[in-house]
Every structure is written in C-alpha cells, then in structure tokens.
Amino acid sequence: MDKSKSVLVVTIFIFMMVKSFASSIYEKNCLSCHSKMPVKIDKFFYRYLLKYSSEMRVKEALVDYLKNPKKEKSVLQEELLARFGVKKPTTLNDKELKEAVDEYWEIYKVFDKLKGTPKNP
Amino acid sequence: MLKSWDTNLLSSEKKTLFSFFLLYLFFVLILLFILGYLYYNFQKDLVLQKYRIELNRLANEQVFRLKRLHRNFDKQRVYPRDKRFESAIYDSSFKKIFSTFKNSKIDFNRVIYIKNKKVYYIKELESYYLGTKYLVLQVDEDDSWVDRALKNMLLSGVVIFFIMMVFGYFLLWLMLKPMRDAIELLDRFIKDTTHELNTPINAIMSNIEMLERANLDEKVVKKIKRIDIAARTVSNLYQDLTYLTLGHKIVSYDEMVDLKKLLCERLEYFSLFSKSKKIKIKTELKEGVFLKIDIKKVTKLIDNLLSNAIKYNRVSGNIKVTLANNFIEIADSGMGIPQEKLKFITKRYTRANESVGGFGIGLNIVMMIANEYDLKVEITSKEGEWTKVKVFW
C-alpha cells in the first residue's frame, strides 16, 4: 500500500515536472493566474486592441504595463480595478516578457480569424 | 474717306495682326481651360460632398456592427457585410485586417476620393473595434454628373469664347486706330494734294501744246521741252495718285485693247523724257496682241513700268520693250533693285532707291491693276545692272 502510494506521489511529481518544463512562459507566468480570475485573459486582449489598434502599439502598451503597472495605465474598468487592484511588476526579463507577449498576441489576434460571407440579400 | 482694310494694311501689318490674334486666341483658350478645370473640380467637390454625407451615415452603421462583433468575438467571427457598399478595415499601422474588395491601395491621406469609377470613403474610428482604426467604404460611382458638367462646360465655353472674340475684335480695332488714323491722314493728304494739282498741270500742258514752236528760238524750244517733260512727269504722278485714292472705286470698262498700238502711244508719250536722258529704246512688238481690259488701267500699268524704266535708268542707258502673245516685258539697264528689297518692292511707299524722286506707289498700282485682272507680275533684277518686269496673262 505504502509502495503504491509512493509510486503515485513520484508519478505526480514527474508529471508536474514534465508539465512545468513543457508549458510556455506565457502559460506559466500569465495564464496560470489569469485563468483563476473572473475576468478571462482574452477580455484583456480585446480591451488592449480597442485602445491601441495595431500589433506594435498593443505589444508596447502590454510590455510597458507589465514592467511598471499603474492604475492610470490599466485598461480595466474602474470597478474591477478597485476590486482586484493593480498587479505587481513582472519578474520576467525583457526577452521572456517579449516571448510571453508575442504568444499572447498570436493566440488572440484578429488577423486571419474573421470570416467573410457572401453579400447579404 | 476710309478705304477698305485690304488696301490700307500692308502684309507685314497683317502678319502682326495675325500674330496678335493668335496670341490672343491662345490666352483665351488657356483662360477657358483654367475656367473649365476649376468648374470641373468644383462640380466634383459638390458630388463628393453628397457622397460624403451618405457614406458617413453608412459608415456609422458599419461601426456599430463592428462594435457588436468586437464584443462577441469569442462567439461570432463573421465579418458584417452590407449590400449597399463594400468595406475594409485597417489598423493604425495601415495593415489590412479584413476587406471585401480587391483594391488594396488605399489613399489614407484623403477622406473621400474617386478612383476607377469607385468612391472611397475613409472613416477614422475613435474606439478601435477589432483593432480597426480606419474603416474604408467603397461604392460604385454614379458618373452621370461628368456628362452634365462636360455639357455645361462646352456650352459656357462656346459662349465665353464668342464673347472674348467680340471683345478681341474691339481690342484690335482700338489698337489699330492710331495706325489707321495715320494711314487715313496720309491718304487724305495725298488726295487733297492731288485735287489741287489738277488745274495747274492742265494749264501748263495745254499752254505748252498751244505754243507755236516754229517761230521760236532753238534754245527756247529746248527749255520748253524740259518744261513739257516736267509737266508730264507731274501729270503722271497726278494720275497715279488719283488712281490710288479713287482707283478702286472707278468702274472698269473692259474692252479689247490693241497692246502694240497702246505701247507705241505710250512710248511716244515718254519719248521726250527718255530722250532727255539719252536712253535708247528697242522694241520687239508682236502684231495683233489683244487683251480685254480697261484701257485707262492698262495705260496706267504701262506708264508706271515705262516711267520706272526711264527714271531709274542711267544716262545713255537702254530699254527693251517686248510684246509677245502672252506677256509684255520691259527691261532696263538701270540701277537695279537689291535682292532683299525685291520681296517688298510692290508695297505702297516702298522705294528701292531714294536718289530719284517719287512716292513709292508706282509698282503698288501696277500690282493692284494686275491683281484685278489676274495678271502675273514677275520682277527680276541685278543690282547696279538691270531690272526686268514681265507681265503675263
């Protein structure tokens, strides 16, 4: 019984280790917390898009906010900001941060996702 | 009395007038072109203004749809279409997000423009739904306004052109007035002088004829001959001037004229004059050459050619008068006409040589008569040696 328990613990540990190595910086450092929040991470993306429009400006704004988060820079609504507060500055270095933001953009960008339909009758 | 412009204006003046007219025409056309261009652009702006109001309304509707799509993007990803227009969305770096039309070259510097019969309207969004900063609407252009504008331009162009031509005519008339006044003054002066010359010349000539020369001393006869020559020269000039001022108003009485007979008569008339310069006259006159012409005018023509041949000849020179079936030629051994003056020698008041008295109207009269009867005048000359005038018919 003890043996089987210890095998399970080791298996879980190995699984956790593998998982932690396989997941990306974005998944580890961003998604892990955001997925627990009532406001999903994609909603943040569309708010950034609404304010900054182009890829370059969205990424710039994201990086700027993550490195130095401030209430006045946040895209979140007032009431949500009051509820959840401003996050802490990122611990990621510039390279990691860029990688995370790039992945975030690739997942939610609008390009190539819109579908055309024939003209309405 | 003002004669028609045709006889008053020399061809160099006509050329100047023509140049002026061309220049004027050129400026009028440029003016019309600029006016047309401005009018066309004005009409185009008006049309675009209309499109702009309509397209802005449609763009607002599309923005509303984009807003809805933006909010529901996790569930709905179909780009909203409208049968009234084609549309495209671009982000703030002018990167295309989605488009329902093929043309990808959009001029983002303009709000509205027409290209390849399509109207493009670019609306800049305040909130960038789906990252859209620029919403481009495209509709087919209704180009019936172009035909209307061109028709109006053509009509107004013709009217303005006509008005400008009338204006130009008056401008030309004003510009020419001093010149015409000067010519009129000269013509009037000559006419008045001519009138005053008539009586004294007739008195001199008739009195010389009445003189009984047989009873006179040879020296006196010689002097009388000189007076006679001088009187005939003045008489000739008088006739020239009369012709010039009244000639074109005289009705022609054409008849068959025996040219040999006439030439002999005129040579006889000028014989005193030619003898005084010791000029030898050779004739080669064909019998029975007739020409249907006004006798007074053909006499004037011959008189002018003969008097020139004598006047511009050297002392003891030669003159050869030839009459053939289709021409008269009078050749002299005079001082000739410089090549550069040959072209203008028939113009009024033009003189090849200032050393001999005259007004420069003789050959002008010859040309006027020749033109009236379709005679061709050919003047050839070698300066300092000879001059030949040939009149063909």
Side-chain angles (χ1 to χ4, degrees):
Chain A
M1 191 66 183
D2 283 348
K3 199 181 172 185
S4 63
K5 232 180 194 178
S6 59
V7 168
L8 188 68
V9 168
V10 168
T11 310
I12 288 170
F13 180 74
I14 290 167
F15 179 73
M16 292 285 283
M17 285 295 284
V18 168
K19 199 188 171 218
S20 72
F21 276 115
S23 57
S24 66
I25 300 167
Y26 163 73
E27 282 170 2
K28 261 196 305 190
N29 296 279
C30 311
L31 205 56
S32 53
C33 286
H34 272 282
S35 57
K36 292 170 200 153
M37 287 168 70
V39 182
K40 297 289 173 243
I41 197 161
D42 62 329
K43 295 290 176 202
F44 284 90
F45 183 86
Y46 297 120
R47 291 199 74 83
Y48 268 97
L49 205 56
L50 192 67
K51 195 173 174 184
Y52 297 103
S53 177
S54 71
E55 178 181 354
M56 198 182 76
R57 292 191 58 204
V58 165
K59 285 180 177 176
E60 269 174 12
L62 270 166
V63 169
D64 181 51
Y65 182 78
L66 292 171
K67 279 166 118 180
N68 188 15
K70 277 203 178 110
K71 197 178 167 187
E72 54 271 19
K73 283 198 266 180
S74 173
V75 292
L76 211 59
Q77 289 110 310
E78 284 281 329
E79 55 271 31
L80 289 171
L81 205 59
R83 205 171 129 198
F84 298 105
V86 177
K87 76 182 277 299
K88 288 186 186 115
T90 181
T91 52
L92 296 171
N93 62 30
D94 282 0
K95 200 188 159 208
E96 289 167 329
L97 193 61
K98 188 182 176 297
E99 214 179 302
V101 168
D102 283 349
E103 192 179 342
Y104 185 45
W105 172 266
E106 284 305 318
I107 292 168
Y108 295 106
K109 68 175 183 183
V110 176
F111 293 96
D112 307 327
K113 289 200 181 115
L114 273 168
K115 281 179 280 183
T117 54
K119 269 193 174 185
N120 291 340
Chain B
M1 177 196 70
L2 195 73
K3 285 182 283 180
S4 71
W5 281 32
D6 230 26
T7 49
N8 269 338
L9 297 178
L10 302 181
S11 73
S12 61
E13 286 153 359
K14 277 184 189 162
K15 215 170 158 187
T16 312
L17 282 185
F18 188 66
S19 307
F20 170 84
F21 183 73
L22 271 187
L23 197 70
Y24 182 77
L25 199 73
F26 176 71
F27 282 118
V28 166
L29 286 178
I30 284 202
L31 182 80
L32 282 178
F33 182 78
I34 292 171
L35 283 177
Y37 180 78
L38 290 176
Y39 176 79
Y40 182 84
N41 275 306
F42 177 71
Q43 288 297 315
K44 195 175 173 181
D45 282 350
L46 267 183
V47 169
L48 282 180
Q49 200 60 36
K50 269 189 212 161
Y51 271 116
R52 193 176 172 154
I53 294 166
E54 175 63 15
L55 286 175
N56 189 49
R57 195 176 59 77
L58 294 175
N60 285 337
E61 286 180 26
Q62 187 71 358
V63 170
F64 183 75
R65 291 186 198 116
L66 287 174
K67 186 178 175 180
R68 205 165 49 195
L69 185 63
H70 181 94
R71 285 191 179 153
N72 302 308
F73 199 65
D74 45 350
K75 293 166 238 149
Q76 165 72 276
R77 290 190 173 180
V78 179
Y79 183 80
R81 295 192 72 149
D82 192 310
K83 63 178 176 183
R84 292 168 293 179
F85 56 84
E86 298 292 338
S87 65
I89 49 177
Y90 288 80
D91 72 10
S92 64
S93 58
F94 307 113
K95 194 172 167 188
K96 186 168 79 185
I97 301 169
F98 193 83
S99 175
T100 64
F101 54 83
K102 278 178 186 166
N103 179 17
S104 55
K105 280 183 188 164
I106 303 292
D107 183 359
F108 288 97
N109 292 318
R110 291 194 276 180
V111 173
I112 191 162
Y113 65 93
I114 297 172
K115 198 176 163 188
N116 299 334
K117 297 202 165 188
K118 303 268 184 200
V119 185
Y120 292 89
Y121 176 71
I122 297 150
K123 187 177 175 73
E124 209 171 308
L125 271 59
E126 285 164 16
S127 295
Y128 308 143
Y129 302 115
L130 302 170
T132 307
K133 182 164 186 188
Y134 303 101
L135 167 65
V136 184
L137 259 56
Q138 184 207 56
V139 290
D140 291 332
E141 182 202 3
D142 172 18
D143 58 1
S144 60
W145 70 272
V146 176
D147 282 349
R148 264 200 319 275
L150 287 178
K151 220 179 266 175
N152 284 344
M153 272 157 70
L154 197 74
L155 202 73
S156 328
V158 168
V159 171
I160 295 172
F161 184 78
F162 183 72
I163 292 170
M164 290 307 277
M165 282 300 110
V166 172
F167 180 72
Y169 178 79
F170 280 107
L171 204 71
L172 206 66
W173 188 79
L174 269 180
M175 200 180 83
L176 281 181
K177 208 173 177 309
M179 199 164 87
R180 290 172 57 198
D181 285 351
I183 293 174
E184 195 192 336
L185 193 73
L186 189 60
D187 280 351
R188 195 180 293 155
F189 168 75
I190 290 170
K191 196 193 153 212
D192 292 349
T193 317
T194 309
H195 189 71
E196 297 303 320
L197 279 174
N198 193 14
T199 325
I201 292 169
N202 278 341
I204 294 167
M205 286 177 73
S206 51
N207 280 293
I208 289 170
E209 268 175 34
M210 282 189 285
L211 275 174
E212 301 258 344
R213 293 184 196 185
N215 308 332
L216 293 171
D217 183 22
E218 199 180 316
K219 276 188 178 176
V220 179
V221 170
K222 220 174 176 181
K223 282 171 186 162
I224 288 172
K225 270 185 182 173
R226 282 192 203 131
I227 296 170
D228 197 9
I229 291 167
R232 280 175 196 218
T233 309
V234 178
S235 168
N236 208 27
L237 185 61
Y238 161 75
Q239 283 163 17
D240 276 357
L241 295 173
T242 313
Y243 183 83
L244 207 61
T245 48
L246 296 167
H248 67 289
K249 292 197 169 173
I250 298 168
V251 182
S252 297
Y253 292 105
D254 295 347
E255 55 187 303
M256 293 307 282
V257 177
D258 182 347
L259 291 176
K260 186 181 178 183
K261 196 178 147 206
L262 182 69
L263 276 167
C264 289
E265 260 176 44
R266 297 330 289 166
L267 283 166
E268 175 62 28
Y269 178 80
F270 283 104
S271 63
L272 270 178
F273 190 14
S274 59
K275 274 176 194 161
S276 74
K277 275 186 99 170
K278 294 181 185 135
I279 291 167
K280 281 177 214 145
I281 298 180
K282 254 171 81 182
T283 54
E284 212 180 291
L285 308 174
K286 198 171 182 235
E287 289 277 353
V289 181
F290 287 88
L291 193 64
K292 193 170 186 194
I293 197 165
D294 183 299
I295 188 140
K296 277 184 191 159
K297 289 185 178 174
V298 72
T299 306
K300 201 89 261 358
L301 187 144
I302 292 168
D303 280 6
N304 268 307
L305 296 181
L306 281 176
S307 98
N308 276 350
I310 299 167
K311 204 157 63 172
Y312 297 104
N313 216 323
R314 56 186 158 83
V315 178
S316 310
N318 303 305
I319 290 176
K320 192 185 173 194
V321 181
T322 314
L323 172 66
N325 277 335
N326 65 335
F327 71 87
I328 299 170
E329 185 183 74
I330 296 170
D332 68 61
S333 59
M335 54 190 73
I337 303 161
Q339 285 300 312
E340 66 271 17
K341 282 196 178 174
L342 261 181
K343 256 198 239 168
F344 310 103
I345 198 73
T346 55
K347 306 278 183 290
R348 195 186 298 184
Y349 311 127
T350 305
R351 298 179 53 215
N353 194 305
E354 310 280 332
S355 65
V356 183
F359 286 115
I361 50 177
L363 279 176
N364 183 237
I365 290 172
V366 168
M367 290 312 288
M368 280 163 76
I369 296 168
N371 287 341
E372 192 182 333
Y373 288 96
D374 280 335
L375 307 175
K376 203 182 151 208
V377 180
E378 188 184 271
I379 304 169
T380 46
S381 179
K382 188 168 184 192
E383 199 181 352
E385 291 187 24
W386 52 264
T387 304
K388 277 183 196 169
V389 183
K390 204 169 177 181
V391 182
F392 303 89
W393 54 87

